[in-house]
Amino acid sequence: MSSTPSRGLGTAEPIRQPPRVISSVRRFARKSRAILQRLRRAAKHEIYAYWRRQPVRKATVFYESFAGNGMLCNPEAIFRALLDDEEFAQLDHVWALRSRHENRATIREFARNPRVRFVRTGSIGYYRAMATSGYLINNATFPPEFGKRAGQVYLNTWHGTPLKRMGYDIGDPASRVGNVIRNFLSADFLLAANRFMFDQMYESAHLLRQIYGGQIIEEGYPRIDRQFLDAPGVAAARRRLEDAGLAIGDRRIILYAPTWKGTNFNRPEDDATELIDRVTELTSMIDSDRYVVLLKTHQVVHKFASHLPQVKSYLVPNEIPTNVILGVTDVLVTDYSSIFFDFLATGRPIAFLTPDIADYAGYRGLYIEPGEWPGPVLTSVSELAHELNAIDQIGQSPEMSKRYEASQQRFTSHEDGGATGRVIDIVFRNKTDGYTIRRASRSSRRSLLINAGSMRPNGITASLLNLLDSIDYDQLDVSVVFPNSRRAIILGKQRELNPGVRQFARVGGMNGSKLLHWARRRSWARGDLRNHALDPRQKQLWDDEWTRCFGSSVFDYAIDFSGYGAFWATLMLHAPGAERAIWQHNDLAADAHRQTRGRRRQLKEMSGVFSLYGEYDHLVSVSPSLSEINRAGLEEYAEASKFESALNVVNESRVLANAAVDVRASAAIVRVLAVESETGVDELEVPEWANELAVDTDVVTFVTVGRLSPEKNHARMIGAFAVVHAEHPATRLVIVGSGPLRAELERLIERLGLRDAVWLVGHQPNPHAVMARADCFVLSSDYEGQPMVLLEALIVGLPVVTVAFGSARDALPAGVGLVVPSTVESLAEGMTAYLEGKVPMAPFDAAAYNDSAVHQFYRAIGLRGVR
């Protein structure tokens, strides 16, 4: 018999699928999920578009708090007051709730009230309510697709006076605050609990000054009214806590209510575990017969913590309004949460537990220094327990009482229990006499909105950055808008924007039905976009998109600085009342022909942009000669008088600083050798070409900077250099840039035997460090707008040799550099002329040049009276 074990009928091995089959199944699953997500998005937008076409229901109020987390905060206080007021018996009320299960007590409370209903966030009912309700009340933000319609009244109450830095003050990308800014600018009314909130939150942190068109109500916070409880109210609130499983008995309440400090919203357990440990430790150090410690967590942490059995006895349910809890709280313990501003109205003690204050203050920053806070600032639970025991026995110290009273005067002067009524007077009764209602501050500065394009690292972005560093912000209020992006290289460019600029990241997409968008795309496919103004439905579509992006903002000047995108060129024409300009960075007729051969999509895009020229007030080229070229090539699209010019600005200080960097450090490649080391080591690998360039030799170095693309015609330059190198072997050519022609140029270099003399060094984040190690700058382009690299070469101190492209005579100062015919032979003669000392050089006065260029910009957009 065989010694091989036999397989029983029930022991058959599972069939193993080949890896290729498994991979195919996974790809299919991913594609299926992606398709399903797209279908869901399309359905959502179509539903919203349908309801946006229906009449606005003037007698319906739609509420949302914390993205649907519950019936909470200021919206809840306003809702209850309206519901109880006979004067508003005609109003219906709709609440957005994310989870019916988590809010079942709230739903039960109003189950028999026909005037109150609930919708799930993101549902058909949600979009119906958002699109058709006459009044919209939110304490945070509606989603990116939200756009306020005519006839709707939007009150954004926000959810607290800020202690931590907010908005642009944090220094995060504009995309982080993009939807908040949209919501604020769309609101008819914003709520400020105090003057500090008006100044710091709205005017400064979110830069609403100069552009916000609504009203800011400074009459206190409705939610704080709920803290003013009479004896039956206190008893009811304590009973509600008992019913939720919190055994408080007749003990006094210490409420621990910290803010969310985690770095990952998907890992709230990191925060919850720490909070549980602190509550346990504090409870062990105080008189627990007289005091009970309750925990009120941030919305994010609560979702996780509420499922932990060990916190059931002290975790405050999310559906009980925070301010009701504060009304029965005897001592508040917090950290950086704005909850302490609300609690000030009670006059009861506050303590701050901030063991991480050094790190947190550095990360988020604080508007008020800890030395001004209305309570002791402590770094450990043991210190906190000692302080709470002292307060229980002898009360607060005189110094702390003084700080407390100063904070009350500064932050709670309107909190008298009647804020809700005053807000309802203003928003629902249109009564304003005797109330503090402010407008965003405005000065004589004129406002500019500039479309920056993609913000990719290219010539257009560099030109804009330079311009924005030279504008007079004492006379101009400047906003820049760009598409939302998460790419690090683009976010890096956004961070380079002048700090005086307000940044808008366009989040979300256009509303409107699929049929309307089909018609819009048909116009685009024809290369004629004029229907955006001629077709009333298309005009409404674009007007709605302007409102969705910028709310009620009004700008004096709307500028499409990119000039290449059909979407932005159209949208900027819907800036109400603005004088409008669009930039022309190149010979656009030639550009459209050369760049789009065989690429019908891009040809139609450029044709569509051209079709809009007649609606712009100014068509601005980047040099006088280029303006003449565009006037001649695009005369069918706009009258000749609209074609103007403004030279680009150059950033001398940045160029010189970059040029001073050692080329080896600039070109070094950082590699993390994690494989060879457990900790990882940053090793700088310096390319050989950089090492050679850094050494002083008798070799003459010609340099050029530009994308390896057809219009730059590097092949002509390499051919010309081959002629020069044959006569003068002690020469080399360094080409900085990357692009689609690299392989082709490498073959040309190889064929001409120039492998050791012509270096393709690729894209360099700091090309000026390379230029500083060269002797002469060479340009061989077929066409350019205004190549800033020529002026940057002059700043570095390089002589310039360039072929005679269309705007070459405007690209260099008079009498500087050498312009030669656009042939291989002539360019070779020009490079030889440098070797013979025959290329004219003169000092370049960048300051005088920039002063002239900035004033040309002012004139070109129609701006008068700016010095």
Side-chain angles (χ1 to χ4, degrees):
M1 293 180 62
S2 170
S3 61
T4 304
S6 62
R7 287 198 186 105
L9 292 176
T11 59
E13 290 185 356
I15 298 174
R16 298 185 182 276
Q17 297 289 352
R20 281 186 298 179
V21 174
I22 296 173
S23 179
S24 297
V25 170
R26 287 174 177 169
R27 281 199 303 272
F28 176 77
R30 282 196 301 269
K31 288 181 179 179
S32 298
R33 286 195 297 269
I35 291 171
L36 185 59
Q37 288 174 353
R38 285 198 295 270
L39 289 173
R40 285 173 177 165
R41 283 197 300 269
K44 178 180 70 175
H45 286 293
E46 197 64 26
I47 290 166
Y48 189 40
Y50 169 79
W51 287 113
R52 284 177 61 85
R53 297 193 298 271
Q54 307 310 307
V56 171
R57 300 165 63 91
K58 299 287 189 181
T60 300
V61 189
F62 180 47
Y63 307 85
E64 184 174 341
S65 290
F66 299 113
N69 272 2
M71 184 183 284
L72 304 166
C73 195
N74 294 305
E76 186 228 10
I78 295 169
F79 157 73
R80 289 183 180 277
L82 288 172
L83 191 65
D84 291 343
D85 194 326
E86 287 297 325
E87 181 183 347
F88 298 106
Q90 81 284 3
L91 292 180
D92 292 323
H93 306 270
V94 183
W95 268 95
L97 297 176
R98 181 179 296 169
S99 168
R100 297 182 72 88
H101 175 74
E102 292 178 5
N103 292 279
R104 54 192 181 277
T106 297
I107 294 172
R108 282 198 304 269
E109 181 182 355
F110 299 99
R112 297 183 180 278
N113 192 322
R115 294 169 53 206
V116 181
R117 61 188 178 91
F118 300 92
V119 295
R120 181 174 53 82
T121 53
S123 67
I124 293 175
Y126 177 84
Y127 286 105
R128 176 185 180 182
M130 191 165 68
T132 62
S133 297
Y135 292 91
L136 307 167
I137 302 178
N138 203 318
N139 80 334
T141 61
F142 288 114
E145 54 266 34
F146 165 70
K148 189 173 78 73
R149 298 173 62 194
Q152 290 186 310
V153 176
Y154 179 15
L155 166 63
N156 190 294
T157 70
W158 201 242
H159 48 266
T161 299
L163 173 62
K164 308 176 293 286
R165 285 182 186 170
M166 301 290 292
Y168 295 110
D169 287 349
I170 300 176
D172 285 350
S175 57
R176 188 181 185 278
V177 296
N179 197 42
V180 176
I181 298 297
R182 269 190 353 95
N183 273 261
F184 284 172
L185 293 176
S186 296
D188 300 277
F189 299 97
L190 297 174
L191 218 54
N194 44 64
R195 181 57 186 264
F196 171 81
M197 188 174 176
F198 171 85
D199 291 333
Q200 197 67 62
M201 172 81 178
Y202 296 126
E203 292 262 280
S204 180
H206 290 93
L207 298 178
L208 298 190
R209 55 180 180 263
Q210 294 290 130
I211 63 169
Y212 176 60
Q215 301 179 72
I216 302 177
I217 302 170
E218 188 191 311
E219 282 293 340
Y221 248 15
R223 72 184 189 188
I224 295 179
D225 291 352
R226 306 213 64 198
Q227 295 171 195
F228 292 84
L229 300 175
D230 54 17
V234 170
R238 292 179 69 94
R239 185 166 57 251
R240 194 169 177 184
L241 291 170
E242 289 273 3
D243 292 343
L246 281 62
I248 58 176
D250 59 357
R251 292 180 294 177
R252 306 180 74 187
I253 294 173
I254 298 172
L255 183 68
Y256 181 35
T259 191
W260 160 252
K261 299 193 295 296
T263 56
N264 188 339
F265 280 91
N266 295 317
R267 291 182 55 82
E269 61 269 28
D270 294 346
D271 223 31
T273 302
E274 186 176 52
L275 301 183
I276 292 169
D277 291 343
R278 287 177 183 168
V279 171
T280 303
E281 185 179 1
L282 179 60
T283 300
S284 69
M285 295 180 173
I286 62 171
D287 185 352
S288 57
D289 290 332
R290 297 183 59 236
Y291 286 94
V292 60
V293 180
L294 302 184
L295 175 63
K296 175 64 179 174
T297 57
H298 189 278
Q299 307 283 337
V300 175
V301 181
H302 187 84
K303 296 176 189 175
F304 172 79
S306 60
H307 298 290
L308 299 176
Q310 63 266 43
V311 302
K312 296 292 186 183
S313 62
Y314 55 82
L315 180 65
V316 176
N318 197 46
E319 65 180 354
I320 302 179
T322 299
N323 294 86
V324 172
I325 308 300
L326 294 181
V328 295
T329 294
D330 296 281
V331 181
L332 174 67
V333 178
T334 186
D335 48 11
Y336 317 102
S337 172
S338 63
I339 193 173
F340 88 81
F341 290 105
D342 289 20
F343 195 67
L344 278 170
T346 68
R348 300 172 199 144
I350 304 171
F352 298 88
L353 178 59
T354 59
D356 56 351
I357 190 166
D359 294 335
Y360 190 80
Y363 163 61
R364 279 291 297 263
L366 302 168
Y367 289 129
I368 304 169
E369 291 300 315
E372 302 176 61
W373 294 0
V377 181
L378 311 158
T379 58
S380 70
V381 175
S382 59
E383 290 178 356
L384 172 64
H386 176 78
E387 190 68 34
L388 293 181
N389 288 326
I391 291 173
D392 177 54
Q393 294 171 15
I394 61 175
Q396 292 207 38
S397 68
E399 178 190 353
M400 204 57 65
S401 296
K402 186 176 180 181
R403 276 162 48 179
Y404 198 106
E405 291 171 5
S407 293
Q408 283 183 309
Q409 293 174 10
R410 186 179 183 188
F411 302 117
T412 62
S413 60
H414 296 291
E415 307 303 349
D416 56 4
T420 306
R422 294 190 291 271
V423 171
I424 289 174
D425 272 354
I426 295 166
V427 176
F428 289 87
R429 296 189 177 101
N430 198 29
K431 293 181 179 179
T432 58
D433 289 348
Y435 294 141
T436 304
I437 303 172
R438 303 185 188 278
R439 297 278 186 177
S441 61
R442 292 182 181 272
S443 66
S444 60
R445 293 191 301 161
R446 274 155 294 179
S447 56
L448 277 63
L449 175 66
I450 303 175
N451 166 42
S454 68
M455 290 295 291
R456 295 189 185 97
N458 56 31
I460 293 175
T461 299
S463 297
L464 179 62
L465 292 173
N466 293 345
L467 172 66
L468 294 174
D469 280 339
S470 303
I471 279 178
D472 185 352
Y473 293 96
D474 288 335
Q475 301 190 67
L476 298 174
D477 179 88
V478 183
S479 302
V480 167
V481 62
F482 39 75
N484 194 22
S485 176
R486 296 180 180 178
R487 293 182 58 194
I489 194 168
I490 292 176
L491 296 178
K493 286 298 172 185
Q494 292 174 14
R495 283 191 288 270
E496 291 181 32
L497 286 163
N498 188 287
V501 171
R502 180 188 298 105
Q503 299 182 32
F504 288 108
R506 178 179 175 261
V507 295
M510 293 182 78
N511 290 311
S513 69
K514 296 299 179 187
L515 185 61
L516 272 178
H517 285 292
W518 178 84
R520 176 176 66 86
R521 293 188 182 98
R522 286 287 298 164
S523 296
W524 175 85
R526 292 193 300 268
D528 187 345
L529 303 178
R530 290 174 293 178
N531 255 5
H532 82 96
L534 300 176
D535 182 336
R537 293 171 302 175
Q538 290 292 314
K539 182 180 184 303
Q540 187 64 55
L541 180 72
W542 285 98
D543 285 344
D544 286 348
E545 177 61 6
W546 173 270
T547 301
R548 192 190 71 84
C549 291
F550 303 109
S552 60
S553 302
V554 176
F555 301 92
D556 298 315
Y557 301 88
I559 301 161
D560 182 2
F561 194 82
S562 170
Y564 279 98
F567 173 85
W568 290 104
T570 306
L571 185 62
M572 300 305 277
L573 290 171
H574 288 260
E579 192 160 349
R580 297 165 294 203
I582 187 168
W583 247 243
Q584 298 173 321
H585 292 276
N586 225 319
D587 176 351
L588 291 184
D591 203 10
H593 174 69
R594 291 167 180 156
Q595 293 287 349
T596 60
R597 264 180 296 188
R599 293 152 73 182
R600 181 177 176 82
R601 177 182 175 85
Q602 292 187 13
L603 178 60
K604 292 300 183 183
E605 180 106 4
M606 290 305 300
S607 298
V609 173
F610 296 161
S611 72
L612 300 174
Y613 279 174
E615 300 174 59
Y616 275 90
D617 302 297
H618 310 280
L619 311 176
V620 186
S621 295
V622 293
S623 73
S625 58
L626 184 62
S627 182
E628 294 173 10
I629 292 170
N630 281 322
R631 184 184 293 116
L634 302 168
E635 59 183 353
E636 65 181 288
Y637 297 104
E639 55 193 72
S641 61
K642 290 189 175 185
F643 290 85
E644 304 178 43
S645 68
L647 295 173
N648 285 322
V649 175
V650 65
N651 191 325
E652 181 183 32
S653 59
R654 180 175 61 85
V655 171
L656 292 175
N658 287 347
V661 176
D662 189 305
V663 68
R664 290 165 293 193
S666 175
I669 302 170
V670 178
R671 297 189 177 182
V672 180
L673 304 179
V675 175
E676 300 180 11
S677 169
E678 292 183 2
T679 59
V681 177
D682 289 346
E683 180 178 284
L684 295 180
E685 181 180 315
V686 180
E688 185 56 36
W689 64 264
N691 283 323
E692 290 191 35
L693 203 58
V695 178
D696 292 326
T697 67
D698 293 331
V699 177
V700 174
T701 301
F702 293 96
V703 68
T704 192
V705 179
R707 180 170 164 78
L708 306 184
S709 51
E711 73 277 5
K712 301 298 183 182
N713 207 332
H714 289 94
R716 176 167 56 205
M717 181 185 299
I718 293 169
F721 176 76
V723 175
V724 174
H725 188 66
E727 293 291 327
H728 304 276
T731 55
R732 62 189 170 206
L733 173 63
V734 179
I735 299 176
V736 180
S738 59
L741 297 186
R742 182 180 181 104
E744 181 179 320
L745 295 176
E746 286 175 339
R747 289 192 295 269
L748 175 62
I749 293 167
E750 187 72 27
R751 188 169 66 250
L752 295 176
L754 297 173
R755 179 190 294 179
D756 296 329
V758 179
W759 302 343
L760 297 177
V761 302
H763 170 74
Q764 296 297 311
N766 179 6
H768 305 119
V770 182
M771 293 163 64
R773 296 300 303 171
D775 300 289
C776 179
F777 189 90
V778 187
L779 194 63
S780 183
S781 298
D782 290 330
Y783 61 98
E784 292 273 1
Q786 186 200 10
M788 298 306 296
V789 70
L790 293 185
L791 297 181
E792 292 170 355
L794 296 181
I795 291 172
V796 173
L798 294 181
V800 171
V801 176
T802 177
V803 298
F805 53 85
S807 57
R809 61 188 172 89
D810 292 329
L812 290 168
V816 174
L818 185 62
V819 181
V820 300
S822 301
T823 65
V824 170
E825 295 76 16
S826 297
L827 185 56
E829 291 172 3
M831 296 167 79
T832 301
Y834 166 74
L835 296 174
E836 296 172 351
K838 296 179 180 179
V839 175
M841 273 292 289
F844 175 58
D845 188 343
Y849 168 87
N850 281 345
D851 185 66
S852 174
V854 170
H855 282 83
Q856 289 177 36
F857 167 79
Y858 295 156
R859 185 187 66 248
I861 65 173
L863 183 57
R864 303 289 184 266
V866 176
R867 298 183 299 277

